């Protein structure tokens, strides 16, 4: 008897419906269990898991011939997520579950030998694929059900065991669908760092406030111990909360990467700080089974590259496309995958190998050639894609020991949220734009209106500083954000002046 059950594969960040065809031959003399359709070793091993799970669930597993075809056959199948669908197919082919109960349903889950249904990654994109394909129900492991229930318009049935599923399909013990977990949003976390705890560095805090308000990239340069890492790690405390759409985007990425850690919906912006020894595939994504890298895990959040000069040149140069296009494309022989990567980059490094070039207290021991070679590891095209270049000086002893506290992160975050709200109103008819940093050259010309004095200063700055076309547009975007923080409809000369002073300075020996 032939039974057809539906499962789902993860391709990039999307789910693709898999038809699990199980053919059972009761008259065969030599028992066999064959899985075809480009299965990997984990899928082939499901034969043993399925056999044991069925027997240990007090169900029958006749030792005859089974042929399981995973269609489409040209798509490689990976992982244990097909276990549940294969088991249901075997039970349907041997008349142990009603075929009519399988119509319009998708089954995903790994089986333990005792029949328990275990966690699989990618439950949310699987549920979305099921909805898009017209299924009305998806059966998932109980721990993955809240995540799958984020997708509206499809019933999510949580499962603990295979036996529980059989009872539900026969209607003897009906399982209730999992409700959407939207009402269980995470509260804002208690951050360990607050801007009020950072003494001094007021101009750096101002630069980071501008960056947070407009989604701009930042480079912090300073001697060891001046607070670059501390300031960078405080940035999430001034970022606005994720919108519902942004939260779904981030959750989808973390679901595929299997990094949700039991959470159904992520409500805080990601902050990723990979070590400088990271590989190219680890940063941008890839591998034999392409998965999101650190830049995609930073989507709608912050990517902090501490000691960026210590990263390999190849790793740094692959940042160019994601910084410009807000997405990364990974090409393989059998096709291409695209991952989102709209993140805010914070790069930090010392001014020279010894770390004390330009320091007010310690003498630099590096030669001019060594300093130039060290700083040239960051190429011109990469620096051109960074909007704010900020020097972080040493903090005076009096400020360190002072009793006063500066502005809190909550106060700064309020201004950032107000500026983001102005941008949302400006981009109301262009939903793909969220911050000023997302604007294209055409949109910059249309939306960045300058006063005559501001135009004159911008022209002088472009000519004297020999700014590229990309740098010119980035100065305009930055000026627009500074004007938004000041609640100004037009970009004034003071806004342009502040934006221009954040361009990188030339080395002087």
């Amino acid at each position: 008897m032939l039974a057809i059950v539906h499962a789902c594969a993860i391709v990039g960040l999307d789910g693709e419906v898999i038809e699990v065809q199980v053919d059972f031959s009761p008259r065969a003399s030599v028992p066999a269990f064959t899985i075809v359709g480009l299965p990997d070793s984990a899928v082939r091993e499901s034969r043993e898991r399925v056999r044991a799970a069925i027997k240990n669930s007090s169900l029958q597993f006749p030792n005859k011939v089974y042929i399981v075809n995973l269609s489409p056959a040209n798509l490689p199948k990976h992982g244990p997520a097909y276990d549940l669908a294969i088991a249901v197919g075997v039970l349907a082919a041997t008349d142990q579950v009603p075929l009519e109960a399988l119509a319009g349903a998708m089954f995903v889950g790994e089986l333990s030998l005792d029949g328990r249904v275990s966690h699989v990654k990618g439950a949310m994109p699987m549920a979305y694929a099921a909805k898009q394909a017209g299924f009305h129900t998806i059966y998932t492991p109980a721990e993955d059900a809240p995540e799958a229930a984020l997708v509206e318009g499809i019933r999510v049935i949580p499962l603990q065991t295979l036996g529980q599923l059989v009872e539900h399909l026969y209607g003897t013990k009906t399982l209730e669908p999992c409700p959407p977990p939207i009402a269980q949003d995470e509260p804002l976390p208690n951050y360990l760092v607050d801007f009020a705890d950072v003494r001094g560095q007021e101009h750096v805090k101002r630069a980071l406030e501008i960056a947070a308000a407009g989604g701009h990239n930042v480079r912090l340069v300073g001697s060891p111990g001046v607070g670059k890492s501390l300031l960078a790690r405080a940035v999430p405390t001034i970022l606005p909360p994720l919108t519902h759409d942004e939260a779904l985007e981030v959750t989808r990425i973390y679901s595929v990467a299997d990094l949700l850690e039991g959470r159904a919906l992520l409500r805080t912006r990601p902050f990723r700080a990979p070590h400088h020894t990271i590989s190219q595939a680890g940063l941008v994504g890839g591998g034999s089974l392409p998965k999101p890298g650190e830049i995609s895990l930073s989507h709608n959040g912050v990517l902090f590259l501490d000691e960026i000069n210590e990263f390999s040149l190849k790793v740094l140069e692959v940042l160019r496309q994601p910084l410009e296009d807000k997405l990364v494309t990974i090409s393989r022989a059998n096709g291409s995958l695209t991952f989102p990567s709209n993140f805010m980059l914070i790069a930090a490094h010392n001014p020279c190998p010894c770390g004390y070039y330009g320091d007010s207290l310690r003498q630099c021991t590096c030669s001019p050639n060594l300093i130039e070679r060290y700083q040239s590891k960051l190429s011109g095209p990469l620096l051109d894609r960074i909007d704010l270049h900020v020097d972080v000086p040493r903090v005076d002893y009096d400020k360190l020991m002072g009793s006063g506290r500066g502005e809190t992160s909550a106060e700064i975050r309020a201004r950032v949220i107000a500026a983001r709200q102005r941008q949302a109103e400006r981009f109301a008819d262009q939903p793909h734009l969220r911050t000023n940093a997302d604007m294209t050259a055409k949109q910059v010309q249309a939306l960045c209106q300058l006063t005559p004095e501001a135009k004159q200063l911008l022209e002088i700055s472009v000519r004297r500083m020999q700014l590229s076309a990309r740098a010119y547009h980035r100065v305009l975007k930055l000026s627009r954000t500074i004007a938004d923080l000041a609640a100004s409809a037009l970009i004034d000369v003071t806004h342009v002046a502040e934006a221009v002073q954040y361009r990188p300075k030339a080395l002087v020996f």
Side-chain angles (χ1 to χ4, degrees), residues 41-350:
S41 57
V43 179
R44 288 192 295 269
E45 289 171 355
S46 68
R47 296 174 298 187
E48 310 307 324
R49 292 192 295 270
V50 167
R51 181 185 288 111
I54 290 176
K55 289 182 177 180
N56 292 325
S57 299
S58 300
L59 299 165
Q60 299 300 314
F61 188 90
N63 282 323
K64 298 297 182 179
V65 172
Y66 300 86
I67 299 178
V68 179
N69 179 42
L70 305 178
S71 177
N74 63 340
L75 178 68
K77 317 302 187 302
H78 307 280
Y82 307 98
D83 288 3
L84 184 62
I86 294 174
V88 172
V90 168
L91 294 174
T94 55
D95 293 322
Q96 298 184 75
V97 295
L99 278 174
E100 60 273 12
L102 308 182
M106 177 181 285
F107 300 83
V108 294
E110 177 185 346
L111 286 177
S112 299
L113 298 184
D114 59 359
R116 285 180 293 113
V117 184
S118 303
H119 158 77
V120 293
K121 64 181 180 181
M124 179 184 172
M126 286 178 179
Y128 185 76
K131 175 189 173 183
Q132 293 295 100
F135 293 94
H136 56 71
T137 304
I138 181 171
Y139 295 87
T140 70
E143 61 182 296
D144 298 329
E147 175 192 337
L150 291 169
V151 179
E152 298 177 354
I154 188 168
R155 295 170 68 243
V156 179
I157 306 297
L159 299 175
Q160 298 284 355
T161 65
L162 180 61
Q164 190 182 48
L165 171 61
V166 173
E167 291 176 335
H168 173 81
L169 294 177
Y170 272 113
T172 57
K173 289 187 179 180
T174 304
L175 298 172
E176 293 297 322
C178 180
I182 303 302
Q184 303 170 7
D185 292 347
E186 299 177 9
L188 284 175
N190 293 321
Y191 293 104
L192 298 178
V193 182
D194 191 283
F195 266 78
D197 299 324
V198 181
R199 303 300 173 89
Q201 309 293 15
E202 300 304 327
H203 74 290
V204 184
K205 295 179 186 178
R206 167 65 178 175
L208 293 176
E209 178 183 340
I210 296 170
H216 302 285
N217 303 318
V218 188
R219 179 173 70 113
L220 304 177
V221 185
S223 302
V226 296
K228 303 186 296 295
S229 298
L230 182 66
L231 286 160
R233 294 183 183 279
V235 168
T237 67
I238 64 172
L239 290 174
L242 286 169
T243 65
H244 182 63
D245 288 343
E246 289 175 334
L248 290 176
E249 291 175 6
V250 175
T251 302
R252 179 185 173 201
I253 296 170
Y254 276 67
S255 173
V256 171
D258 204 16
L259 294 174
L260 285 178
E261 299 175 348
R263 296 166 291 180
L265 181 66
L266 297 181
R267 297 298 299 172
T268 55
R269 293 188 180 273
F271 182 88
R272 306 293 295 184
H275 193 260
H276 62 78
T277 56
I278 191 171
S279 66
Q280 181 174 322
L283 186 66
V284 303
S288 57
L289 303 176
K291 62 180 182 179
E294 290 291 338
I295 61 175
S296 294
L297 295 173
S298 306
H299 182 62
N300 289 330
V302 176
L303 175 65
F304 176 42
L305 300 184
D306 198 9
E307 302 301 340
I308 189 173
N309 287 40
E310 301 299 331
F311 285 74
S312 74
L313 186 60
K314 286 185 177 180
V315 169
L316 291 178
E317 291 308 307
V318 297
L319 285 172
R320 291 192 195 180
Q321 182 214 5
L323 287 174
E324 196 71 23
D325 300 335
K326 309 300 182 182
L327 53 85
V328 58
T329 301
I330 300 171
S331 299
R332 292 292 182 268
N334 57 354
S336 298
L337 295 174
T338 299
F339 296 118
S341 58
N342 190 354
F343 58 89
M344 174 181 161
L345 173 67
I346 301 180
H349 65 92
N350 298 329

